[in-house]
Amino acid sequence: MGEVVDIGCITRLDLPVDTILETAKAKLESVVLIGYAKDGSEYFASTIADGGDVLWLLERCKLALFRAADGLAE
């Protein structure tokens, strides 16, 4: 398989987990990871120990997602 290139745009297509994780590793200082395991169960991991900080980040990201969907991205 050829090299996957991040073109930096929003897509309606699902992306491979490895693509997202490799891009994130190069950019992020901390991370909250949520998803589904192969057995269908929820998965959660975070480099941030404080649950309040994790929730704050999740809510900020949720707001950014809503704004992007409405065409109001910052």
Side-chain angles (χ1 to χ4, degrees), residues 1-72:
M1 179 173 17
E3 180 182 349
V4 176
V5 178
D6 179 10
I7 58 172
C9 66
I10 295 174
T11 178
R12 293 178 186 262
L13 303 173
D14 290 342
L15 299 171
V17 171
D18 288 339
T19 300
I20 298 301
L21 293 177
E22 287 302 318
T23 301
K25 283 182 359 183
K27 295 180 179 182
L28 299 178
E29 177 179 313
S30 58
V31 65
V32 176
L33 182 62
I34 57 174
Y36 291 110
K38 291 183 180 185
D39 68 1
S41 63
E42 291 84 10
Y43 179 88
F44 172 86
S46 176
T47 61
I48 303 167
D50 186 285
D53 289 342
V54 170
L55 185 56
W56 179 258
L57 179 57
L58 288 171
E59 291 297 328
R60 299 257 319 155
C61 290
K62 185 170 76 171
L63 180 59
L65 179 62
F66 288 153
R67 286 182 172 161
D70 289 339
L72 302 174

